[in-house]
Amino acid sequence: MPAPLAASEPAPVTGPPTRTSWLVRRPRRSTLVSFEVFPPRPTADPDTVWRNIDAMAQAGPDFFSVTHGHAGHHGVSREALRHLRRTTKTPVMAHFTCGGTDRAGLERAVDQLLDDGVRDLLALRGDPPLGTGEWRTPAGGLGRASQLVELIRDVERRRFGTGFRPGQRPLSVSVACYPSPARGRDFEADLASLWDKQEAGADYAITQVLYEPEDYATFLERARSEGIHIPVVAGLMPLSNPQRLQRMTEITGVRVPERLTRFLRADTPEELRHRGVAATLSLIDDLMDLGCAGFHLYTFNRPEAALTILEHLRVRDAAREYRGRSPAA
């Protein structure tokens, strides 16, 4: 391991950084779009999963995030992260959670990710273990995402030194936020939590799934009024599978609007696909008008709708550029 840099000697910058903090913050010529994927489930055909992930990688999203699915430890899957880092130049962000170990174990897990070349992390408290119903902080561990952000920054300073400006630090750290009304969530508490994450060193936030641009607008207005200045990327599902939307409601407590449910009633799979993509693009347009920092698609490892949406947005970006307008969100 190279010796840590002294506080007065930050690492030289030889070119534009490729970390997600820079991708989200920089002026853009195209709409920021990222894909979330997860490693193969035990019941899935791994060859099919990897083919789907590779198809999304070839399309060139701005970055991937890798959630743990059923294969990771401490919220990450090193196998999936290594696969994407080996097969694509696209930045890859690891989900990282508080659960399952103490502080020393979490620090070791961050070091392992850094040894693998990962420089982007999404810091999450994590969900309670299946069947328990409520979160319990592990003995000697952490119970809040803001504490996890602080731990990651501590490891960053130990490994790389200090003296870096926000946005150009060796590690990019993102966090979750919750703009939509959801079962069991407290809007004011979520705002306070996002403030704590920002103060701990978060670079930007990604929303829980949302369906209404008004929810994003209200959340962003309140956040900015309370001094939360980090960019907020909208987390979206491609709206082409009503069963998956219902499943997401069960997981997140965020209700699907009735008007969307009615719109997605279709006689054929082709009509449903068209309606789903149209509804997603309409939501993206509304969010872009609100100055949304970018769009993070929860793909469920299904490339078809995600790739169609990405292609439409790239065509729209080119059309805006031709008309002399900035395509950036």
Side-chain angles (χ1 to χ4, degrees):
M1 181 192 307
L5 295 167
S8 59
E9 299 176 356
V13 178
T14 58
T18 58
R19 293 177 297 278
T20 55
S21 60
W22 181 79
L23 290 170
V24 170
R25 290 173 180 271
R26 74 181 177 92
R28 302 191 56 76
R29 292 174 59 85
S30 61
T31 306
L32 184 143
V33 180
S34 55
F35 293 160
E36 180 171 296
V37 298
F38 51 80
R41 298 181 185 277
T43 57
D45 174 19
D47 291 339
T48 299
V49 173
W50 293 124
R51 279 198 303 271
N52 288 346
I53 291 175
D54 288 343
M56 288 187 274
Q58 291 170 12
D62 291 283
F63 66 91
F64 279 99
S65 78
V66 179
T67 185
H68 55 86
H70 291 267
H73 186 50
H74 305 321
V76 297
S77 168
R78 296 180 73 185
E79 178 189 9
L81 291 164
R82 288 169 171 172
H83 175 87
L84 283 168
R85 283 187 47 75
R86 185 175 64 251
T87 59
T88 177
K89 295 182 179 180
T90 302
V92 183
M93 177 176 70
H95 288 217
F96 196 71
T97 67
C98 295
T101 188
D102 59 11
R103 180 182 178 89
L106 291 170
E107 290 179 348
R108 286 193 296 272
V110 174
D111 277 322
Q112 289 174 347
L113 288 171
L114 300 187
D115 291 342
D116 286 345
V118 173
R119 295 295 182 266
D120 303 284
L121 295 99
L122 172 59
L124 305 163
R125 189 200 67 177
D127 297 323
L130 289 175
T132 62
E134 64 180 54
W135 170 265
R136 293 185 179 179
T137 300
L142 308 181
R144 302 186 64 198
S146 59
Q147 296 173 319
L148 193 58
V149 176
E150 291 175 345
L151 180 144
I152 293 167
R153 292 300 183 201
D154 287 344
V155 175
E156 176 186 57
R157 285 188 286 271
R158 171 169 55 80
R159 297 237 345 195
F160 302 103
T162 61
F164 299 97
R165 299 194 306 273
Q168 293 195 344
R169 289 180 285 207
L171 304 185
S172 164
V173 182
S174 56
V175 293
C177 63
Y178 305 89
S180 298
R183 180 184 63 251
R185 298 217 65 92
D186 181 324
F187 184 84
E188 298 298 329
D190 285 339
L191 270 178
S193 177
L194 183 57
W195 165 266
D196 290 341
K197 296 171 191 177
Q198 173 183 279
E199 295 307 288
D203 291 301
Y204 64 98
I206 301 174
T207 75
Q208 179 59 274
V209 64
L210 59 83
Y211 307 107
E212 299 283 15
E214 293 80 7
D215 292 340
Y216 181 90
T218 299
F219 180 84
L220 198 66
E221 181 179 13
R222 280 293 309 280
R224 297 298 183 246
S225 72
E226 298 193 14
I228 298 171
H229 56 75
I230 57 176
V232 178
V233 173
L236 307 178
M237 281 187 62
L239 304 174
S240 54
N241 188 314
Q243 291 76 28
R244 195 167 293 129
L245 291 174
Q246 179 59 40
R247 175 59 179 154
M248 191 62 111
T249 297
E250 296 170 1
I251 295 171
T252 65
V254 179
R255 295 179 62 86
V256 179
E258 178 59 30
R259 61 186 176 85
L260 175 59
T261 302
R262 290 196 303 269
F263 182 72
L264 294 179
R265 291 170 184 160
D267 294 329
T268 66
E270 186 71 5
E271 182 186 1
L272 174 59
R273 187 177 69 83
H274 289 163
R275 285 177 172 262
V277 170
T280 310
L281 292 172
S282 176
L283 176 57
I284 286 173
D285 283 344
D286 289 341
L287 291 168
M288 288 180 68
D289 289 342
L290 295 170
C292 186
F295 306 98
H296 186 66
L297 299 184
Y298 301 115
T299 71
F300 289 86
N301 289 355
R302 301 297 179 90
E304 295 83 3
L307 295 179
T308 300
I309 291 163
L310 179 62
E311 177 64 17
H312 276 280
L313 289 174
R314 293 297 180 245
V315 171
R316 290 183 180 190
D317 287 342
R320 291 188 181 97
E321 186 177 3
Y322 179 71
R323 295 198 300 269
R325 295 173 54 191
S326 170

